[in-house]
Amino acid sequence: MVTIHDVARAAGVSPATVSRVFNGGRVTPERALSVQRAAAALGFAPNRVARSLRKQRSSVIALIIPDIENPFFTSLARGVEDAAQRTSLSVVLCNSDEDTEKERRYLEIALGEQMAGVIVAAASQDETDLGPLIARGVPVVAVDRRPHDAEVDAVRVDNHHGGEVATRHLLEAGYHRIACITGPEGASTSEERLAGYRTALRSAPGSGVTVDDAYVRHADFRVEGGKAAMRELLALPEPPDAVFVANNLMTIGVLDALAEVGRTPPGVGVLSFGGVPWASLVRPSLTAVELPSYELGRAAAELLLQRMEGSAAPLQTVVLRTKLQVRESTAGPAED
């Protein structure tokens, strides 16, 4: 019986190219004609049932994100969907709630349903396990967060640089007791943004500012986590005069905690890593590190599509830069 490998040898192409020709993938007209001629000469007839199943598998990809209520991930999902729709792919959106067990079930479903590929923002750098998907040859792209030791393509922002620029801005605005509320310990985004904060403090020239872990709090990337962390910081003998908050939802909690004690920016500087739609509308308006969330999603989808089409290129990590948007919430500290 003539196989796909026989056709590939006769046409001088890879078996993956033959598969794409008979399954509607993107192939140059010249290669498609070469494959079709070789198949006709050899009397090759693709298995219609298997072809139908492959087409079913190739029509759906999974996007697993940790918090669908976060505007950052909502925008990221839109970027994935827009890129996927251009190639007639459908996107199944899965919300892990930062829960590794829930995330594991979604990964198992993606494997069991033979989805064509998976884009995942990992719930845990240490516990998210992409091994079963990789072992079965399912294309996977990690977006925003990348698990340890995962041999997959990745798209992320330069968190360290963003954290460093944000903290340096607070120093230059005249703040001296700068706190950092970051995300869960072990999460790549949490640790990278915290590292950028520390880098800026250590390199501050002649400011008298030191790195003091009493001003560092880990929270859960949620509103209540940010609020609780800010309450703890306000209870210190010398509360911070500014705070770098490592995500947008926690920033809402920080502002709420400050309002409880009658303190407001810019007397206490507040700078958010990640913007919110109303950042320019509140008073004082909110300084934020703006993230290219839509572009992250689009880039992740495009990278996944390349793998689905058979790309054998080395694994890639695409890094996108952030942008500091200075507004009123960091105009300078209150007089002591």
Side-chain angles (χ1 to χ4, degrees):
M1 183 179 71
V2 179
T3 69
I4 192 172
H5 296 279
D6 298 323
V7 176
R9 280 193 294 270
V13 299
S14 69
T17 299
V18 177
S19 177
R20 287 198 295 274
V21 169
F22 288 108
N23 288 286
R26 287 193 288 182
V27 181
T28 64
E30 294 79 9
R31 286 191 175 183
L33 182 59
S34 176
V35 168
Q36 290 162 357
R37 285 174 174 170
L42 294 171
F44 174 75
N47 184 317
R48 300 294 173 183
V49 175
R51 180 179 174 184
S52 173
L53 289 173
R54 283 194 296 271
K55 280 192 172 183
Q56 182 178 9
R57 173 178 176 177
S58 67
S59 66
V60 180
I61 63 174
L63 170 61
I64 305 174
I65 57 176
D67 188 0
I68 197 171
E69 294 182 338
N70 189 328
F72 168 79
F73 288 111
T74 305
S75 176
L76 185 151
R78 183 57 186 265
V80 170
E81 184 183 37
D82 285 354
Q85 285 290 311
R86 287 197 292 271
T87 56
S88 300
L89 286 170
S90 297
V91 180
V92 173
L93 180 61
C94 310
N95 180 46
S96 71
D97 281 323
E98 304 278 7
D99 182 337
T100 54
E101 180 59 25
K102 188 175 180 182
E103 178 186 69
R104 182 187 62 78
R105 292 196 298 271
Y106 278 133
L107 292 170
E108 289 179 350
I109 290 169
L111 191 59
E113 294 296 324
Q114 294 186 306
M115 292 187 183
V118 175
I119 298 172
V120 57
S124 169
Q125 193 170 0
D126 296 316
E127 297 179 34
T128 295
D129 184 11
L130 303 178
L133 290 169
I134 297 169
R136 289 279 293 274
V138 178
V140 181
V141 174
V143 64
D144 186 48
R145 311 171 182 180
R146 181 174 181 169
H148 277 313
D149 305 322
E151 297 295 321
V152 296
D153 295 302
V155 182
R156 62 182 184 84
V157 298
D158 192 340
N159 291 294
H160 186 284
H161 179 261
E164 184 177 359
V165 167
T167 307
R168 188 181 303 124
H169 167 71
L170 291 170
L171 288 166
E172 292 171 351
Y175 299 99
H176 298 288
R177 299 187 306 277
I178 302 170
C180 176
I181 299 175
T182 192
E185 292 187 75
S188 60
T189 47
S190 303
E191 301 301 339
E192 289 165 6
R193 292 167 195 177
L194 177 60
Y197 157 84
R198 286 176 167 150
T199 296
L201 293 183
R202 291 191 185 104
S203 61
S207 64
V209 176
T210 59
V211 178
D212 185 349
D213 283 341
Y215 288 128
V216 174
R217 292 292 184 277
H218 287 274
D220 60 1
F221 279 143
R222 302 291 177 89
V223 173
E224 287 304 316
K227 186 174 182 178
M230 192 66 218
R231 283 172 170 168
E232 290 181 8
L233 291 168
L234 288 169
L236 292 173
E238 283 193 296
D241 60 4
V243 58
F244 165 52
V245 193
N247 97 321
N248 50 4
L249 294 185
M250 291 194 300
T251 301
I252 298 172
V254 166
L255 293 171
D256 197 11
L258 287 171
E260 287 179 340
V261 296
R263 303 190 69 180
T264 58
V268 176
V270 176
L271 197 159
S272 174
F273 197 102
V276 287
W278 41 260
S280 63
L281 302 178
V282 295
R283 291 295 178 267
S285 56
L286 182 65
T287 296
V289 176
E290 302 287 351
L291 305 179
S293 51
Y294 179 89
E295 290 75 12
L296 277 171
R298 184 178 63 187
E302 290 173 350
L303 200 50
L304 185 71
L305 289 167
Q306 291 174 23
R307 293 300 180 192
M308 289 166 54
E309 291 168 0
S311 171
L315 293 176
Q316 300 180 54
T317 296
V318 177
V319 181
L320 303 182
R321 277 296 179 101
T322 60
K323 179 182 178 182
L324 180 65
Q325 183 65 55
V326 178
R327 299 189 179 95
E328 298 167 346
S329 68
T330 56
E335 294 293 333
D336 292 330

